[in-house]
Amino acid sequence: MLVTGGGGQVGRALALQTLRTANRALPLEHAHLDIGDARAVRTQIGEFRADVVINCAAYTAVDRAETDRAAAFSVNAAAAGMLAATCAAAGVPLVHVSTDYVFDGTATRPYREDAPLCPLGVYGASKAAGEAAVRAANPAAIIVRTSWVFSQDQPSFVRTMVRLARERPVLRVVDDQVGCPTFANDLADALLALAERAVRGDDLDGVYHACNAGPVTWCGFARAIVAAARTHGPLACTDVVGISTAEYPTPAARPAYSVLDTTRLAGLGIALPPWQPGLQAAVRALMTQVSP
Ligand SMILES: NC(=O)c1ccc[n+]([C@@H]2O[C@H](COP(=O)([O-])OP(=O)(O)OC[C@H]3O[C@@H](n4cnc5c(N)ncnc54)[C@H](OP(=O)(O)O)[C@@H]3O)[C@@H](O)[C@H]2O)c1
């Protein structure tokens, strides 16, 4: 399994989780493989004799993308499309990761894979364009949308909340955006399962939604993070207060509701657990690190 974006949250989790299987993964960081460099991708596929490529490479700075549109589209749309074309030409299946931010958040029940895309910001728009580019270049590619990814060893909402809970008595966190947090290791297991089936030649196609179970607001998630952290040591934080999105303006608008319906993936026998066990593991790792 050739893992692009191997230095990121999901890429690193994939490398870790692969160790628990009989598979071998070659995670390549951005510095070692640019997904837009077709020749380099071809070389890596050939030298590693990859059976499948899992694309975790992306421009993920949601707010920065608002003023860095060209860079976001260059990686998330153009380069993703190029990678898909290279995989198609090499006859190697591709699993491509996408996002809940392709939706506008006006739904009142979980988004199914065939719901219309209507991104609110540049990042979401670039990922939606990437899905289209991947599909156009490689109709057999598997696209996996996920949401609110967290891990213990990379910058993420969980790491930020643990740090702030150590420093501040009160945390004010947005309480009117609902989504499903997803532990990178659990997502990695689902991606591995899909990749194994793609290599086996199973009839997979199109888009799958993969996220941990249990919709929650950012504030609800923050409360769970603080509660988990408190079991490992004293915190400055005594209260997590819910605020509205309007009280915490950001350059990029976020969907108010981006819960993904995972029924299609479950139909393959691949189900992610609730996010709570992953959160406990991530917080335990963060709280036992020497410095936050
Ligand atoms: N994080 C989330 O909450 C979230 C939610 C939904 C979906 N997703 C999706 O999940 C996937 C993985 O995200 P993540 O959380 O692991 O993000 P991440 O931690 O930011 O990792 C992305 C990695 O891609 C690398 N990269 C950027 N441009 C590249 C290029 N042209 N060629 C090769 N590598 C490149 C980055 O390296 P540099 O930093 O060195 O450029 C970075 O290491 C992405 O498709 C993302 O859209 C993430």
Side-chain angles (χ1 to χ4, degrees):
M1 300 179 173
L2 185 67
V3 178
T4 59
Q9 278 198 101
V10 179
R12 286 170 64 107
L14 262 169
L16 188 73
Q17 294 305 95
T18 310
L19 297 176
R20 302 161 60 145
T21 72
N23 300 303
R24 275 194 315 130
L26 178 63
L28 290 172
E29 296 182 9
H30 191 179
H32 297 122
L33 182 67
D34 187 317
I35 58 166
D37 184 342
R39 208 165 68 167
V41 171
R42 253 195 321 272
T43 303
Q44 291 293 351
I45 289 174
E47 284 184 357
F48 186 56
R49 285 186 285 137
D51 293 317
V52 60
V53 173
I54 306 180
N55 181 28
C56 303
Y59 180 109
T60 57
V62 175
D63 288 319
R64 193 166 4 112
E66 293 298 307
T67 49
D68 203 9
R69 186 182 177 89
F73 271 80
S74 163
V75 178
N76 293 345
M82 249 181 283
L83 176 70
T86 309
C87 290
V92 174
L94 170 68
V95 179
H96 171 76
V97 183
S98 191
T99 174
D100 56 332
Y101 280 18
V102 295
F103 298 119
D104 66 5
T106 55
T108 50
R109 56 186 178 152
Y111 281 98
R112 284 173 30 163
E113 285 81 351
D114 57 1
L117 306 193
C118 190
L120 295 176
V122 171
Y123 164 73
S126 70
K127 293 293 291 184
E131 290 188 14
V134 165
R135 246 194 312 270
N138 187 341
I142 299 159
I143 295 171
V144 180
R145 292 193 196 117
T146 189
S147 59
W148 295 25
V149 179
F150 67 92
S151 64
Q152 67 276 10
D153 65 348
Q154 294 275 295
S156 74
F157 183 77
V158 172
R159 201 164 85 165
T160 303
M161 286 301 124
V162 166
R163 178 174 56 77
L164 292 177
R166 282 171 150 160
E167 296 169 2
R168 299 185 188 175
V170 177
L171 305 186
R172 291 160 53 79
V173 185
V174 169
D175 203 17
D176 55 5
Q177 291 172 25
V178 179
C180 288
T182 303
F183 185 40
N185 291 13
D186 291 334
L187 173 64
D189 286 341
L191 294 171
L192 285 168
L194 279 168
E196 280 174 4
R197 284 159 193 238
V199 172
R200 216 162 59 194
D202 285 11
D203 190 19
L204 306 173
D205 67 341
V207 184
Y208 294 89
H209 285 171
C211 60
N212 278 135
V216 67
T217 66
W218 287 114
C219 182
F221 191 40
R223 288 195 176 112
I225 295 166
V226 172
R230 190 166 285 120
T231 65
H232 294 280
L235 301 173
C237 178
T238 53
D239 202 5
V240 181
V241 176
I243 60 171
S244 67
T245 298
E247 290 173 273
Y248 188 76
T250 51
R254 269 101 170 140
Y257 179 91
S258 65
V259 177
L260 301 174
D261 183 330
T262 56
T263 308
R264 190 159 194 257
L265 190 67
L268 299 175
I270 302 171
L272 279 74
W275 47 263
Q276 284 85 350
L279 178 64
Q280 295 295 338
V283 169
R284 191 182 319 115
L286 281 164
M287 291 297 287
T288 50
Q289 283 170 11
V290 176
S291 63

